[in-house]
Amino acid sequence: MKKLILTTLSILIIGLILTNISCEKLEVKRVIKIKTVEYLNVTSNSAEIMGTLLDVGENGIMDWGFCYTDASGEPDINSAKVDPTGSPGKGDFKALIEGLEPNMEYHVKAFARSDSEVKYGEMLTFTTLVAEKITITSPVSTDRWPLESTRQITWTDNIDADVRIELWRVNETNAYMQITDMPVASTGTYDWSIPTNIPIDAGWRVKIISTQNENTFAFSDDFEIIAAQTIEVIGPSGGQYVHMGNTYSVDWQSNFGGNVKISLFKNNTIHSDIITSTENNNAYVWQVPNDGSIIADADYSINITSLDDYNIYHTGTWFQIAEAPFISISAPTSGANWQMGDTYTITWTDNIVESVRIELYKGATLEMEIANNESSDGTYSWAIPTGMVDGSDYKIKITGVINGTTAVSGQFTISEVPETTGTVDDIDGNTYPTVKIGNQWWMAENLKVTHYDNSGVQGALIPYYNDAQNSEWAALGDNETDKGYCFYTGEGDTYGALYTWAAAMNGNGSSTANPSGIQGVCPTGWHLPSDAEWKELEMQLKMTPTEADSESWRGLDQGGKLKATGDLTTGDGLWTSPNTGATNESLLTALPGGSRSSDTGVFNNLGGNGYFWSTTNYSSTGNMGRNLGYNTATVYRGPFAKSFGLSVRCVKD
């Protein structure tokens, strides 16, 4: 009975439950469903991301899109975000992420947020591409490219597109001309035939642009376009006689450097090479063969060809090669330097018995007759007159007065006896050699004084920073007040002292005058040179005004004319080998004292570079100084931070 009652109750309870279930509807709550699908079109700084919104949820979406971070974290809504276009709704959506770093790994998720929940899609990882880059390796700042020549533009890049090459003027906002009329394959080289109608100027640069992305481009260094290269044979020519076995000067005029080949032509056809390669210095001493390889005739000519460009050549007019008699001049030798007011011996050999006439030529112009009817005994003592014009293009011509046998010496120099010597003492008792260059007297040694000169009274001590005080030196400011000097580590005063600009100027402000009027650290009666005074020196050494006014490395050989000769390798000088172009023609004897860094206080470039202050500001923190290098014959004119340690040369008031 009890069992029956329990069974009946169970049935009733189950029935009530079933009745309740069947009478009430179950509710299912909708939630946001979102998926991160893929990334597309990844570049060096952007990527396109796609997602899918599967359900917008119960309450709708108030914010959606993509969140991303770099590889250091996992993205969420507090990370960087980017919004899709349009309004949120079910289906695919995408957005472009921009401003990314090249070659960087990123994490990205799609997200959607309502007022009650945030949902994320799967995290995807992508890496941006390496930034497109073009680097031009030619032309460089020291290049001087002639009109009518062909020069190779070279570059490196990591792009797959073609390129366009343009010529620009410095500081212009538009291209001067298209070098390539059509895009060319980015092979890294392009041979440019330089047109004749481009203005001769130092302010040119090349621009190379990707045709696929105009934002991928590069400019070359500034370079110079110069006049078309020409060469003209001067002699022997014009019916001149030359004799087998004798030595003659092959003379020409050119406006370019490099090497040339000199050939002997007969009846306008090459007979033989005189020399296959020689410096293009407008003169070559040629000994005419006397070994049977040449026959006496009147239809010979000289051909001179540039080895850098075989399209540049010239063939002189016909001259005659004859057998004996002969005259051969042995002094002056090519490149000799004879000074006005001194007496020199002109020497020659010949096989004639007649008298000779001795003449002096400057270039192709007869300057004077030295002797009219001198016995041909092989020597003549010549007292060079004063008041002549300095020049390196003089030649001696000796002619037999009967049969016209002629010889011409190599080119040599006639110069004034230089008034270049002298000395000056500083307040510490150091004695410096001095040299007169043009109208200026310069110290011929780097300054090493440690006190300021106050008209002979002991001056203030200049603050000294030893080679262990790099941080203290680096703390000096680029201004007119932070004074300091030092000697290069381990070198004593061989190369002189290095001074900050404030120390060199003794606190004075910039001066552009000539003379500067700033005594600074110099002895009484002397002053620190202005930029204008440096330019006067450079133009005295034949730098053109245009070159003198330009910045960076300029001039052809003025740096060599300023530098002391010799090098450390051979032990006969203080410059690092090769000490390119050093002649010290100016007698300034510039030394490579190196520098002390304005950033670190570390010493640099001893033996490799000589840096010198001027009184002229380049900017409020920089000075227009000079730099001479061991591997160039040119001169650098440009800015140096005022807290550098540089050398000083003084000029007489």
Side-chain angles (χ1 to χ4, degrees):
M1 185 65 179
K2 185 185 289 187
K3 182 175 182 183
L4 177 59
I5 293 170
L6 291 173
T7 301
T8 302
L9 288 172
S10 298
I11 292 170
L12 289 172
I13 292 170
I14 293 171
L16 289 171
I17 293 173
L18 291 174
T19 300
N20 186 59
I21 292 174
S22 62
C23 293
E24 293 184 13
K25 184 178 180 181
L26 293 176
E27 293 185 4
V28 178
K29 185 178 181 180
R30 293 174 61 194
V31 296
I32 299 171
K33 295 181 181 179
I34 192 166
K35 182 178 182 180
T36 314
V37 177
E38 62 179 332
Y39 53 83
L40 302 168
N41 302 323
V42 178
T43 70
S44 62
N45 58 11
S46 66
E48 189 176 49
I49 312 298
M50 293 193 66
T52 298
L53 192 58
L54 301 174
D55 199 326
V56 297
E58 187 75 20
N59 299 320
I61 295 174
M62 58 185 293
D63 189 14
W64 69 318
F66 300 94
C67 51
Y68 62 95
T69 66
D70 60 25
S72 63
E74 183 170 340
D76 57 30
I77 60 171
N78 296 314
S79 307
K81 296 186 295 182
V82 62
D83 298 327
T85 57
S87 302
K90 292 179 64 174
D92 295 338
F93 62 94
K94 62 182 177 180
L96 179 66
I97 303 177
E98 298 181 292
L100 303 178
E101 294 294 326
N103 196 28
M104 178 76 76
E105 182 179 297
Y106 287 91
H107 296 162
V108 63
K109 290 180 182 179
F111 79 93
R113 179 172 60 176
S114 68
D115 58 358
S116 60
E117 64 176 333
V118 179
K119 292 293 185 180
Y120 297 95
E122 299 83 348
M123 185 174 75
L124 300 181
T125 299
F126 65 91
T127 301
T128 52
L129 303 180
V130 175
E132 291 186 337
K133 185 177 182 182
I134 299 172
T135 302
I136 300 177
T137 52
S138 175
V140 297
S141 60
T142 55
D143 282 340
R144 306 175 77 244
W145 287 4
L147 300 174
E148 301 182 28
S149 68
T150 298
R151 291 293 185 268
Q152 191 170 75
I153 299 169
T154 62
W155 68 94
T156 59
D157 63 55
N158 61 352
I159 65 175
D160 296 326
D162 292 343
V163 296
R164 186 173 70 254
I165 306 177
E166 300 172 342
L167 180 66
W168 286 62
R169 280 185 180 273
V170 174
N171 298 326
E172 292 291 333
T173 57
N174 294 299
Y176 178 81
M177 64 172 289
Q178 298 291 329
I179 292 177
T180 55
D181 294 331
M182 301 288 291
V184 296
S186 186
T187 59
T189 63
Y190 180 80
D191 291 331
W192 179 33
S193 296
I194 303 176
T196 60
N197 59 347
I198 297 177
I200 297 171
D201 197 351
W204 295 104
R205 53 183 177 166
V206 166
K207 182 180 182 181
I208 299 179
I209 314 103
S210 167
T211 57
Q212 195 172 71
N213 182 358
E214 292 287 326
N215 292 322
T216 301
F217 64 86
F219 279 103
S220 72
D221 294 344
D222 299 348
F223 70 101
E224 183 175 0
I225 292 179
I226 61 175
Q229 294 179 337
T230 60
I231 193 166
E232 180 183 4
V233 177
I234 298 173
S237 60
Q240 179 180 344
Y241 277 79
V242 300
H243 297 273
M244 301 176 194
N246 283 6
T247 297
Y248 297 89
S249 178
V250 177
D251 297 323
W252 66 94
Q253 290 180 342
S254 61
N255 63 352
F256 60 94
N259 284 13
V260 296
K261 179 175 73 171
I262 304 176
S263 301
L264 178 66
F265 275 36
K266 189 176 192 301
N267 195 19
N268 292 326
T269 302
I270 187 168
H271 175 279
S272 56
D273 286 332
I274 294 175
I275 186 166
T276 57
S277 179
T278 187
E279 185 179 357
N280 183 17
N281 59 6
N282 295 333
Y284 177 77
V285 177
W286 172 41
Q287 184 170 21
V288 183
N290 194 23
D291 56 5
S293 61
I294 295 177
I295 62 172
D297 211 334
D299 57 356
Y300 290 98
S301 57
I302 295 294
N303 174 278
I304 301 179
T305 302
S306 168
L307 292 180
D308 293 328
D309 188 343
Y310 290 119
N311 294 315
I312 303 172
Y313 64 88
H314 183 249
T315 302
T317 56
W318 287 2
F319 63 93
Q320 182 167 334
I321 295 180
E323 296 177 351
F326 73 88
I327 300 171
S328 179
I329 300 174
S330 50
T333 58
S334 181
N337 186 354
W338 288 7
Q339 295 181 345
M340 302 174 203
D342 287 350
T343 299
Y344 296 87
T345 301
I346 301 170
T347 61
W348 68 95
T349 57
D350 62 53
N351 62 351
I352 62 176
V353 295
E354 65 202 77
S355 297
V356 295
R357 181 171 64 255
I358 305 175
E359 298 167 315
L360 176 68
Y361 278 77
K362 190 176 190 302
T365 302
L366 176 62
E367 190 73 10
M368 68 173 63
E369 186 175 72
I370 297 173
N372 182 46
N373 194 17
E374 181 69 20
S375 175
S376 186
D377 58 6
T379 64
Y380 181 80
S381 183
W382 178 36
I384 301 179
T386 58
M388 297 179 65
V389 177
D390 282 359
S392 60
D393 57 346
Y394 285 98
K395 294 178 288 188
I396 295 294
K397 181 178 180 180
I398 300 178
T399 306
V401 297
I402 297 177
N403 63 22
T405 301
T406 299
V408 180
S409 73
Q411 293 187 137
F412 68 102
T413 297
I414 293 179
S415 62
E416 291 183 339
V417 177
E419 299 176 10
T420 59
T421 59
T423 60
V424 62
D425 295 336
D426 66 26
I427 196 170
D428 292 341
N430 299 306
T431 299
Y432 305 89
T434 60
V435 58
K436 187 178 183 183
I437 305 172
N439 294 320
Q440 298 171 310
W441 277 91
W442 286 77
M443 279 187 176
E445 185 178 313
N446 291 350
L447 192 69
K448 53 190 174 184
V449 71
T450 62
H451 295 80
Y452 289 112
D453 190 340
N454 295 327
S455 301
V457 179
Q458 180 67 31
L461 182 67
I462 307 169
Y464 174 70
Y465 293 84
N466 63 36
D467 55 11
Q469 293 177 292
N470 290 347
S471 59
E472 289 88 341
W473 185 280
L476 298 174
D478 296 323
N479 52 47
E480 299 173 1
T481 58
D482 286 2
K483 301 176 183 180
Y485 84 97
C486 58
F487 290 98
Y488 203 108
T489 303
E491 286 302 324
D493 58 6
T494 302
Y495 292 89
L498 303 175
Y499 303 87
T500 64
W501 190 71
M505 296 285 286
N506 194 11
N508 286 286
S510 172
S511 171
T512 61
N514 183 2
S516 73
I518 305 295
Q519 179 180 348
V521 75
C522 297
T524 296
W526 291 71
H527 62 271
L528 202 66
S530 65
D531 179 60
E533 288 177 278
W534 276 108
K535 289 195 289 186
E536 179 181 339
L537 168 64
E538 292 158 348
M539 288 188 287
Q540 179 65 32
L541 301 177
K542 310 305 181 186
M543 185 182 288
T544 67
T546 298
E547 289 174 326
D549 285 336
S550 65
E551 294 183 24
S552 190
W553 295 98
R554 75 261 201 274
L556 290 174
D557 58 7
Q558 282 72 29
K561 292 176 180 179
L562 294 171
K563 293 191 297 182
T565 57
D567 61 65
L568 294 165
T569 301
T570 56
D572 59 352
L574 296 174
W575 283 87
T576 299
S577 181
N579 197 10
T580 302
T583 65
N584 199 23
E585 179 182 317
S586 67
L587 302 180
L588 188 73
T589 317
L591 295 178
S595 66
R596 193 166 189 176
S597 172
S598 62
D599 294 327
T600 64
V602 173
F603 292 94
N604 295 292
N605 300 320
L606 184 71
N609 291 84
Y611 304 92
F612 302 93
W613 289 121
S614 80
T615 64
T616 304
N617 274 352
Y618 183 88
S619 66
S620 61
T621 60
N623 173 260
M624 184 66 82
R626 294 299 187 275
N627 177 11
L628 305 175
Y630 75 98
N631 59 352
T632 179
T634 59
V635 182
Y636 176 84
R637 172 179 178 257
F640 297 93
K642 293 180 178 179
S643 56
F644 265 109
L646 304 186
S647 299
V648 166
R649 289 294 179 98
C650 299
V651 181
K652 193 173 183 180
D653 294 346

